[in-house]
Amino acid sequence: MDERATWATRIGFILAAAGSAVGLGNIWRFPFLTGESGGAAFLVVYLLLVVGVGVPVLLVEFVIGRRSNRNPIGAFERLGHPGWKAAGAVGAIAAFIIFSYYSVVGGWVIQYVVASFTGGYGADAEAFFLSTASGTNAIAYHGLFMTTVAGIVALGIRNGLEKAATVMVPTVVVLLVGLAGYGATLDGAGAAYSYYLAPDLSTIVGDAVSILPAAAGQAFYTLSLGMGIMITYASYIGEDRNLLQDAGVIVVLDTAIALLAGLVVFPFLFTQGIEPGEGGAGSIFISLAGAFQQLPGGEILGGVFFLMLLVAALTSAFSIFEVVVSYVTDTFDVDRVPTAIGMAAVLFVVGIPTAIDLSYLDAYDLFANNILLILSGLLLSIFIGWVYAGEAIEELGKGRTSDGRIEAVWLTTLRYVVPVVLAITLALSVRDYIGFLQESFL
Ligand code: TRP
């Protein structure tokens, strides 16, 4: 096992990890949650959680991965604490559910790319979205997205992931900056910026109970935390790397791209007089397609935007495949290619309900993100904070010179801050989820 592949270059690891983090979560999910949850108030809570919970937990996953050199389930055995495999397993289940519907949303994006370049989205953007998002075509494009991902992952870590990420992440950044610049020239930009960027303390306090689960779920989702992805990626990095620095780069990049996506999406919405958050999971598609339709050069702009979104979605999707493929190939004597194909087939089937009915998509999404990821993060932070602290600190110190201060802050945060915040979040999330199920399915 010790001669597992390592990343060819440092930048390859960062770009692949950033490629996992940056995806539909930044561009589709972040703006629609921000819109649904009150704009700037949500943004503030989300940013606090990224820094106070996301960064420490990302370091936890890096430490576990590099220390154990294993997949997220095998890792705990290797570290001498097999009982904690449960934490890896919760994450694996979350990843599984997330990927099954992520591919469905990826399929919507493919349909939007095709529609953009072949003459638009019809007269009614909302009707177009509904016909895109559910039914036979949604299932077919879900299959196409899944097949593409499995094909690329079957090629292997260096060939597939590293090269793809090296091109894709910078492309996404350049295109978003261009679109945000264009958005700034629109009429609605002023109103959009104040909705999105000017928080009001009383809203934050008043809505804390509803904002917290959504913001925490999003922080985990967007950083690809709580599902073993970062454990797996870090299992391929060498001991000469500075984990802290790599984590910093990834978090800053991921957060910057989400913020940028908001700067793109909200001016387009406001210019059209669309209430942010009105259309749930479809809002970004409906509003942007409507906007692109009316704007000069909108066909090309739309095509470019959705193509970029597809690229970002693919790099995120590779990461979860990598986790499963590495688990199966580490544990059993099976090759990458059959593993990738088998995996794609199972995920395809599991995702089908979400391609038929959007309530299922919400049900999958909320359960995996607001409950399972939070639970997994809670377990991971307790494990490192209370069970594996000494070794974890030593691991974090590798590849850098340190006077131990950052380690001390990290440990205190993991022992006292993260578990408390996540336990409260989990309780709120479970309560919300029961309410959601009663409303949508009973
Ligand atoms: N981080 C990715 C994003 O922001 C989403 C993601 C997280 C993901 N976990 C995943 C995608 C698992 C697929 C599978 O879009």
Side-chain angles (χ1 to χ4, degrees), residues 13-14 34 47 64 92 123 149 161 257 271 290 294 296 322 396 415 417 428:
F13 164 69
I14 292 184
T34 306
L47 291 175
I64 293 174
V149 175
L161 297 186
I257 291 176
T271 300
Q294 288 163 22
E322 190 51 41
L396 189 64
R415 285 190 166 169
V417 181
L428 293 171

Side-chain angles (χ1 to χ4, degrees), residues 207-301:
D207 296 346
V209 165
S210 64
I211 291 177
L212 194 61
Q218 175 62 14
F220 274 78
Y221 181 91
T222 191
L223 293 172
S224 298
L225 292 179
M227 48 203 120
I229 292 175
M230 295 303 181
I231 295 180
T232 304
Y233 273 18
S235 75
Y236 301 113
I237 26 175
E239 303 208 326
D240 55 328
R241 304 294 163 72
N242 181 339
L243 296 178
L244 209 61
Q245 215 171 51
D246 289 1
V249 172
I250 291 159
V251 170
V252 168
L253 197 65
D254 184 73
T255 307
I257 291 176
L259 294 177
L260 210 55
L263 289 177
V264 173
V265 166
F266 290 113
F268 283 99
L269 286 184
F270 273 78
T271 300
Q272 281 190 293
I274 297 175
E275 273 293 305
E278 230 166 39
S283 53
I284 267 35
F285 290 92
I286 296 167
S287 58
L288 286 180
F292 289 135
Q293 201 124 42
Q294 288 163 22
L295 293 167
E299 267 184 24
I300 293 175
L301 209 60

Side-chain angles (χ1 to χ4, degrees), residues 20-26 95 98-99 102 221-222 224 227 229 316-317 320:
S20 166
V22 176
L24 295 172
N26 305 64
I98 292 173
F99 190 46
Y102 200 79
Y221 181 91
T222 191
S224 298
M227 48 203 120
I229 292 175
S316 301
I320 192 59

